[in-house]
Amino acid sequence: MGKQPIDLLMQPSWRIIDQSSLGPYFDAKQSFAMDDTLCASVGKGESPATARSWVHHRTIVLGIQDTRLPFLEDGVKLLEDEGYRVIVRNSGGLAVVLDEGVLNISLIFEDEKKGIDIDRGYEAMTELVRRMLRSYNAEIEAYEIKGSYCPGSYDLSIGGRKFAGISQRRLRGGTAVQIYLCADKSGSERADLIRRFYQAALKDKSNDTKGVYPDIRPETMASLSELLQTDITVQDLMLSLLTELKERSGRLYAAGLSPEEEMAFEKNLTRMLDRNEKVFGTQESLD
């Protein structure tokens, strides 16, 4: 028998970096620089498998493809007028909403010599979420939810309504499997915001662009609290995450960045700042 997706979760030890309660001043550019840093240190064997949890307040994360929208400035202005910060990440995918009701999890593994099969990473995260939510007796399915924002083959849904999306980033011998989980608030309101963003950034040129952008139907998305008809918070999901990883590991421990990782993080953050300056034309300081 070949390896099962769940085997990826069974690590000798899990390093935990919990950034889920840093508050509104924790910038998403720092998050993507952090995952690149951890990919490199885990990939070189300098760190064990790492689970990082993170929350950002009122932030829209664009994919590289979104930066090619013909009226991007108009779309960004709409989001900023609604009180959101807008950043572009260093990888593919499309726009997503991050706020204080969305828990993000990154699982970072050392890429095996033959490489972690890409589906295996997605399936490991899917299995983890199913186990985190098993007490609710919900049937969680993984397939593309058409009409959702940032649609993909591993959209997680209950009853056909999406509450989570999974992505992967491979870098310097490491693999980061990332998920956003909408714990509470309105999933359809989040989706409607992204629908209006694309409306403003495309106008009537949707057929003239090289990229394919989603035709968002807000009713296709919901939070776990809405789907399960019970209050589910980011903190509830965090506890479930740590419980599940503890069951599959000899050791769970919290650790900040090493001095070497701190240096790498500063370089990766500079890259993120430069990328965003190129797109938005303003240089930011995160001091």
Side-chain angles (χ1 to χ4, degrees):
M1 285 179 64
K3 290 185 176 179
Q4 299 299 309
I6 194 67
D7 294 344
L8 266 183
L9 303 175
M10 300 174 72
Q11 299 286 334
S13 61
W14 275 104
R15 177 190 185 186
I16 305 295
I17 297 180
D18 179 16
Q19 297 180 306
S20 64
S21 56
L22 293 184
Y25 300 105
F26 179 42
D27 191 275
K29 291 185 282 294
Q30 294 169 290
S31 261
F32 291 100
M34 180 72 73
D35 275 2
D36 280 3
T37 301
L38 294 170
C39 262
S41 60
V42 171
K44 289 186 286 192
E46 294 171 358
S47 167
T50 299
R52 185 174 77 90
S53 50
W54 38 294
V55 170
H56 292 299
H57 290 232
R58 297 188 73 78
T59 299
I60 305 296
V61 178
L62 305 182
I64 292 169
Q65 184 178 314
D66 291 315
T67 66
R68 305 185 187 110
L69 284 157
F71 301 98
L72 177 63
E73 284 184 16
D74 292 347
V76 169
K77 183 177 186 311
L78 180 145
L79 296 172
E80 290 177 342
D81 287 348
E82 293 279 354
Y84 285 82
R85 285 184 288 183
V86 183
I87 76 132
V88 59
R89 60 181 172 268
N90 49 6
S91 57
L94 293 161
V96 298
V97 180
L98 302 183
D99 58 42
E100 57 272 31
V102 178
L103 177 65
N104 304 274
I105 302 167
S106 296
L107 299 181
I108 298 145
F109 306 99
E110 183 177 2
D111 215 346
E112 297 165 357
K113 287 179 182 173
K114 294 181 181 177
I116 292 174
D117 176 79
I118 193 159
D119 282 347
R120 194 165 161 244
Y122 283 121
E123 287 163 8
M125 183 67 88
T126 300
E127 183 62 24
L128 173 62
V129 172
R130 283 184 173 133
R131 289 172 185 244
M132 285 169 58
L133 297 172
R134 61 187 160 187
S135 64
Y136 298 99
N137 297 317
E139 185 179 346
I140 296 169
E141 297 183 283
Y143 63 92
E144 182 175 330
I145 300 295
K146 297 192 184 307
S148 67
Y149 57 68
C150 199
S153 302
Y154 282 88
D155 294 339
L156 299 190
S157 60
I158 295 170
R161 297 172 76 195
K162 175 176 169 178
F163 65 88
I166 310 176
S167 61
Q168 273 190 66
R169 181 158 169 79
R170 293 170 175 233
L171 189 74
R172 302 189 187 103
T175 298
V177 185
Q178 302 156 323
I179 190 169
Y180 66 83
L181 288 159
C182 296
D184 55 22
K185 300 189 178 179
S186 169
S188 62
E189 284 182 14
R190 291 184 179 108
D192 187 60
L193 179 65
I194 300 298
R195 181 189 66 79
R196 289 186 287 126
F197 161 72
Y198 283 122
Q199 218 170 32
L202 279 168
K203 301 201 187 329
D204 56 357
K205 292 189 178 291
S206 56
N207 294 325
D208 303 339
T209 58
K210 291 181 181 176
V212 177
Y213 299 95
D215 179 14
I216 293 172
R217 300 192 308 279
E219 67 274 11
T220 62
M221 300 192 70
S223 68
L224 283 166
S225 293
E226 292 172 312
L227 291 167
L228 301 173
Q229 299 186 315
T230 185
D231 288 339
I232 296 177
T233 65
V234 160
Q235 290 76 19
D236 294 332
L237 295 176
M238 269 302 305
L239 181 59
S240 295
L241 169 67
L242 295 173
T243 301
E244 288 303 318
L245 291 180
K246 178 68 177 156
E247 284 186 12
R248 270 147 207 94
S249 167
R251 180 177 176 232
L252 235 61
Y253 72 98
L257 297 186
S258 69
E260 293 78 16
E261 288 173 329
E262 287 280 6
M263 289 174 61
F265 171 74
E266 292 301 328
K267 289 178 183 173
N268 288 326
L269 181 57
T270 298
R271 287 194 193 100
M272 283 297 300
L273 291 169
D274 289 347
R275 175 184 294 280
N276 279 265
E277 183 187 14
K278 282 176 187 166
V279 173
F280 301 118
T282 53
Q283 180 68 65
E284 288 183 71
S285 169
L286 295 181
D287 294 339

